[in-house]
Amino acid sequence: MSAERHSHNRYLDVLNQDPRRRSKHGRLRTKIGFDLIVLNTDDIRDVAEALKIAEEADAAAAASGADGTPPATRRVHVTCRGEALGPGGSSAVADLIRINSRSLESIDVGFNSFGDAGAKIVATDLSRNAYLRNLNLAGNNIGAEGAKALADAVIARAVRPRLRNVDAAHVRLLQRSARAGGGNDFQLIRALTGISLPISKKEQRILRDAAMEALQLWIARDLQTADVGVLPAAIEKTGTALGTFVIFEILRLVPDLFKDVRRVHIDIPAKTSLGTKGASSLREVLSDE
């Protein structure tokens, strides 16, 4: 994109608003939210280009030391609902996901008739994106093939589950419904995968199973790589966000995670987000035969 084109990218103008603007209390803002409503594929591609340019400029400014004031963190939410973009529009969404922007938190492209073909296009780049937290694909006529592609992307991603609006009862529900091959909990699946996709029971089961596997893999990876004397980050963060009881539910309900744990030295430190009693209970769970 040329310099002339940059000057006409209204989204770049929006993202380049002064990051030093202060709150009503006079404090320097460290995070600034942007809700961008777009209407077509060209707009989506302009947003992608604007994010890329803005983040490159931030990186250059940080490297040069500029004035010593770090740029504010952008939190960008892109919405393009009900514009009938069709399968072709999914390519523009994939382009937006592909730039792997640290600023891009959520994309809402519900009711755009992507179909299975569009879901597969989006899934290819979703699996390689490390920062996007929420993707709304509701109302896009996505069937089993599209759901399977999205499920594979969820499992492949290195991004941890968001773990928002999840409690121990939800974890039990997910595990039981996976075993029984039934049950629907859209909120829970969204919280664990970041994907909103209200669909039929067959497609729902595909995504639900992926949600459980993503959760398992996140914990398992941290258990295998945790430094000696450091509580695995997956467990530490779960404890901070959801409470100790949820951790124990996950550990007890997913025993297959820990079949190889005895080969890994896990030393739970005395002071953690779990508290003394919680750390003691966790040691007990992990040391079970």
Side-chain angles (χ1 to χ4, degrees):
M1 185 178 281
S2 67
E4 181 181 359
R5 172 72 169 149
H6 292 174
S7 65
H8 296 292
N9 189 327
R10 61 185 182 278
Y11 299 109
L12 183 59
D13 293 338
V14 171
L15 294 176
N16 279 337
Q17 292 181 48
D18 184 6
R20 299 186 185 85
R21 54 185 182 169
R22 296 181 179 273
S23 69
K24 61 182 179 181
H25 302 295
R27 291 190 292 268
L28 192 67
R29 291 185 178 181
T30 58
K31 297 177 181 178
I32 302 177
F34 297 92
D35 294 311
L36 305 181
I37 299 177
V38 300
L39 301 177
N40 51 53
T41 55
D42 287 340
D43 283 352
I44 294 173
R45 291 194 168 96
D46 277 352
V47 170
E49 189 68 20
L51 281 168
K52 184 176 179 181
I53 295 168
E55 291 187 356
E56 287 175 350
D58 288 347
S64 67
D67 61 0
T69 304
T73 300
R74 298 180 185 85
R75 288 184 167 179
V76 178
H77 309 273
V78 177
T79 300
C80 185
R81 289 175 63 86
E83 299 297 338
L85 300 180
S90 63
S91 297
V93 176
D95 290 345
L96 180 58
I97 294 172
R98 189 181 306 127
I99 64 172
N100 205 23
S101 167
R102 291 176 178 271
S103 304
L104 184 61
E105 286 204 345
S106 70
I107 300 175
D108 183 348
V109 283
F111 302 94
N112 275 294
S113 304
F114 284 174
D116 282 341
K120 291 177 182 178
I121 292 171
V122 170
T124 298
D125 288 292
L126 179 64
S127 64
R128 296 191 286 262
N129 180 286
Y131 302 105
L132 185 67
R133 307 302 295 178
N134 291 296
L135 175 62
N136 186 1
L137 292 169
N140 274 292
N141 302 317
I142 295 172
E145 289 186 17
K148 180 62 168 59
L150 292 167
D152 290 344
V154 165
I155 295 169
R157 297 185 81 201
V159 182
R160 69 179 179 84
R162 192 170 183 82
L163 293 175
R164 184 177 64 185
N165 301 325
V166 182
D167 58 22
H170 275 130
V171 174
R172 286 196 297 272
L173 174 64
L174 183 63
Q175 181 69 1
R176 289 171 183 168
S177 63
R179 288 174 177 168
N184 293 303
D185 193 327
F186 302 121
Q187 181 184 8
L188 176 58
I189 290 176
R190 179 184 178 187
L192 292 180
T193 67
I195 296 180
S196 300
L197 190 64
I199 44 182
S200 68
K201 286 187 177 181
K202 180 179 179 182
E203 290 80 27
Q204 187 70 23
R205 184 172 63 252
I206 291 171
L207 205 55
R208 185 190 59 239
D209 292 346
M212 177 57 78
E213 188 167 346
L215 182 61
Q216 292 175 348
L217 287 173
W218 177 49
I219 297 175
R221 286 171 186 148
D222 276 6
L223 285 170
Q224 297 294 326
T225 60
D227 295 331
V228 174
V230 177
L231 186 68
I235 294 176
E236 180 80 50
K237 291 175 181 177
T238 304
T240 300
L242 308 174
T244 305
F245 182 64
V246 178
I247 295 175
F248 301 145
E249 285 295 329
I250 293 172
L251 297 183
R252 295 181 194 282
L253 287 169
V254 197
D256 287 348
L257 276 178
F258 307 101
K259 59 187 178 183
D260 296 323
V261 161
R262 292 186 63 204
R263 288 187 252 152
V264 183
H265 180 69
I266 298 179
D267 183 7
I268 307 301
K271 292 185 178 181
T272 72
S273 61
L274 308 179
T276 303
K277 185 176 180 180
S280 176
S281 298
L282 184 57
R283 289 190 196 95
E284 189 177 317
V285 170
L286 292 177
S287 63
D288 283 347
E289 293 290 333

